[in-house]
Amino acid sequence: MGDKNLERYIALFIPWILASLFSSDAYLSYWIAWLGSFVIFFLTLTGWVRPIPTDRPIGSQLMRPMFIMHIIFAGYTCCTSIFYFFSVLGYDEFQAPLGAFTIDKDKLELTAQCQRYYCLGHAAFISGLLMFMKYPKKQKYYIEKTSLATLLLKIALISLPLSNILTKIPGLSQFSIQFSALSFIAGTLALAFAIPLKKTVNTVICGILYVFNFYISLTSGFKEPIIISVLVLGIFLYPNYKKLVLITFVPALFLLFIVLPAYVNNFRATAWSGDASADDAAQQSLDVALESDNTTTWAFLTIRLSEIDMFTNFVKSTPETVDYYGTKLLEQSAIAIVPRIFWQGKPITEDLVMERVYNAGVVNKNSKVSAKPAYIVDGYLSAGTFGVFLSMFLYGAIAQLISNKAEELFGGYILGTALIFSGLFQIFWRGLSFEFIINSVFWDYMSMLGVFHVMIRQKILKKV
């Protein structure tokens, strides 16, 4: 376990404690809890709580959980509610309310309460992660550094068709998602290796592969794959091209957040309805996004960017009208792990998850909307405040332990964390309902062990 500076871990929970003490003032309580997450980011990312590993420069270890996973998961979960909060205060399209506006006090109090849970969850999550962070791990295996760039390219080229094959085999579709992500990460990492090494053939092949993956992301109808495509390439290039990455990738990511809401909404409306092909829908949607006003952006920022609106509905109903679920969600997660090929009558995971959504009245049972609760929400639904703390602590601890294991098995950071952990366990970056994330992490771990044994047999990995 981590170092003995227990008081520094306790300090991470001070924002939540202060926000709880001022809970009678919802406005102030929200601000304390929301700003508290930025305090937690500062205390952890500067190495105050626990020193940052020194085995690699900071810019060369950004794919470790304390950096990219922490920033994306906690940033998305805990910090994106600010626009929803302003909408509760009456703001519309970034404009303050004109004239008399009556604030819904119940809605404001629920928003502040949920933000306090986010702040508590953030502190618990990063505490679990830091306590089990151990780098560098004593490596049992190694790989020849001279063959690393070529190996990454081979993994990318093998994983992509393997992913397509797995989509066609009943019961193995989730492995398809794993190897698709692995192919993307491997190809992007290989591209970042090939450019500074001036390997023309590798650069061209990896460039084509990256463009192909970006096209798939662009025509997926979802925002996250597009953003991740740009973000990951920037992170991999950063160690060798710091200034160039900061000048180009940071503005590019900012631009994506502005144009993607309109792009995705229009793409879904045209491509998913069958009115246009994916290519035509993408071109049309891009034109719409670049010409649109900020109305779509504001709707995205207030409702779609954050899941706090749905969280308030769950908090409003549990435990007042729906009791805490206790261990029921974990039992359902155990069921989800069993492959359907071995249990033909296994309940559909989506139905199990949506049942609590209907119970809370978040959406109507007759609607076709999918509104699965976030991981932290399931922690709350299981056991209230304690459920948030325990589930989030375990989330960070398990992610970190897996990263430790990956570096131990695959000869260090490049293959262990940057490739295997980031490729197979990308679900940690966003988080999902208990059933989906527990099932995914379990089988991701099995895939990791499978890849390890293949590399051992092929003598790619050698014993130290």
Side-chain angles (χ1 to χ4, degrees):
M1 192 177 275
D3 51 27
K4 298 179 180 180
N5 293 332
L6 183 60
E7 68 276 4
R8 299 202 173 194
Y9 288 99
I10 294 175
L12 295 174
F13 293 86
I14 290 177
W16 169 69
I17 294 171
L18 289 175
S20 300
L21 290 174
F22 287 95
S23 60
S24 58
D25 186 337
Y27 182 84
L28 179 59
S29 182
Y30 173 88
W31 277 113
I32 294 173
W34 186 75
L35 291 171
S37 277
F38 291 93
V39 172
I40 294 171
F41 276 127
F42 177 78
L43 294 178
T44 54
L45 295 178
T46 57
W48 182 81
V49 177
R50 185 167 185 193
I52 294 171
T54 57
D55 61 319
R56 302 178 66 86
I58 292 178
S60 299
Q61 56 174 310
L62 295 178
M63 298 302 285
R64 280 175 171 164
M66 77 166 295
F67 292 107
I68 186 169
M69 175 188 159
H70 177 202
I71 293 170
I72 293 179
F73 177 70
Y76 173 80
T77 301
C78 309
C79 303
T80 54
S81 65
I82 186 66
F83 302 103
Y84 178 83
F85 175 68
F86 276 120
S87 72
V88 172
L89 297 179
Y91 281 72
D92 185 30
E93 296 181 23
F94 305 101
Q95 300 295 320
L98 300 175
F101 176 79
T102 303
I103 296 175
D104 186 332
K105 291 186 177 180
D106 290 338
K107 196 172 186 179
L108 180 61
E109 288 178 1
L110 280 170
T111 302
Q113 184 180 357
C114 289
Q115 192 61 42
R116 291 195 295 272
Y117 287 132
Y118 284 148
C119 187
L120 170 63
H122 189 176
F125 156 70
I126 194 61
S127 293
L129 192 153
L130 291 178
M131 282 185 180
F132 290 91
M133 184 175 69
K134 187 178 181 181
Y135 300 116
K137 288 292 292 181
K138 184 177 180 181
Q139 296 171 11
K140 296 180 179 179
Y141 303 90
Y142 74 97
I143 180 175
E144 298 290 347
K145 292 184 178 180
T146 55
S147 62
L148 194 54
T150 302
L151 173 63
L152 290 168
L153 179 57
K154 287 180 179 178
I155 292 174
L157 294 174
I158 292 172
S159 299
L160 189 59
L162 180 60
S163 170
N164 292 329
I165 293 171
L166 290 171
T167 58
K168 300 173 183 178
I169 302 176
L172 297 181
S173 59
Q174 73 178 48
F175 291 99
S176 168
I177 298 172
Q178 292 175 21
F179 284 97
S180 176
L182 186 65
S183 175
F184 163 69
I185 293 291
T188 307
L189 191 53
L191 179 61
F193 264 81
I195 293 174
L197 291 175
K198 297 181 179 180
K199 290 192 172 186
T200 306
V201 175
N202 284 35
T203 302
V204 171
I205 296 174
C206 293
I208 293 172
L209 195 59
Y210 180 82
V211 171
F212 175 72
N213 279 311
F214 188 80
Y215 168 77
I216 292 176
S217 300
L218 205 60
T219 54
S220 67
F222 297 98
K223 296 175 285 292
E224 291 86 351
I226 302 172
I227 294 172
I228 288 174
S229 295
V230 177
L231 177 65
V232 169
L233 180 60
I235 289 175
F236 286 157
L237 289 174
Y238 181 74
N240 292 307
Y241 306 98
K242 291 182 175 64
K243 290 184 179 179
L244 181 62
V245 168
L246 292 175
I247 293 172
T248 57
F249 282 84
V250 173
L253 287 169
F254 181 74
L255 179 63
L256 285 174
F257 272 101
I258 295 175
V259 303
L260 278 181
Y263 171 84
V264 170
N265 285 345
N266 190 79
F267 181 86
R268 291 176 178 178
T270 53
W272 291 6
S273 63
D275 294 337
S277 66
D279 290 340
D280 292 339
Q283 182 60 54
Q284 178 186 329
S285 301
L286 185 59
D287 294 337
V288 169
L290 294 175
E291 296 171 2
S292 67
D293 56 25
N294 62 2
T295 304
T296 305
T297 301
W298 180 252
F300 164 72
L301 292 174
T302 55
I303 301 298
R304 299 300 301 274
L305 179 62
S306 171
E307 297 184 347
I308 194 170
D309 182 56
M310 184 164 58
F311 196 1
T312 59
N313 288 321
F314 281 109
V315 171
K316 188 176 181 179
S317 62
T318 300
E320 187 173 332
T321 57
V322 180
D323 198 9
Y324 292 122
Y325 287 83
T327 60
K328 183 179 179 181
L329 305 188
L330 293 177
E331 293 168 5
Q332 292 181 173
S333 300
I335 291 174
I337 289 174
V338 181
R340 190 169 296 277
I341 193 171
F342 299 123
W343 183 4
Q344 294 296 325
K346 187 181 82 167
I348 299 173
T349 304
E350 177 88 10
D351 293 344
L352 293 175
V353 174
M354 288 302 294
E355 194 59 40
R356 54 186 177 275
V357 178
Y358 300 140
N359 291 341
V362 175
V363 297
N364 189 286
K365 198 166 187 176
N366 296 320
S367 69
K368 296 181 179 180
V369 178
S370 178
K372 294 181 282 293
Y375 179 87
I376 191 172
V377 175
D378 275 353
Y380 170 80
L381 292 176
S382 296
T385 302
F386 177 72
V388 169
F389 169 80
L390 181 60
S391 63
M392 293 296 284
F393 179 85
L394 291 174
Y395 193 89
I398 291 170
Q400 185 57 60
L401 288 169
I402 293 173
S403 176
N404 292 347
K405 188 66 175 179
E407 292 206 14
E408 178 185 302
L409 294 179
F410 292 91
Y413 171 80
I414 297 297
L415 283 185
T417 289
L419 176 65
I420 298 297
F421 182 77
S422 301
L424 294 180
F425 297 91
Q426 214 172 93
I427 192 170
F428 275 128
W429 294 6
R430 171 72 183 271
L432 285 172
S433 307
F434 276 10
E435 292 89 341
F436 287 107
I437 199 162
I438 291 174
N439 170 62
S440 179
V441 169
F442 177 86
W443 289 109
D444 289 346
Y445 196 85
M446 293 299 106
S447 295
M448 180 178 78
L449 296 180
V451 172
F452 166 72
H453 285 296
V454 169
M455 287 189 173
I456 287 291
R457 289 179 181 176
Q458 295 298 317
K459 296 183 180 180
I460 298 169
L461 287 170
K462 302 173 183 177
K463 281 192 175 184
V464 174

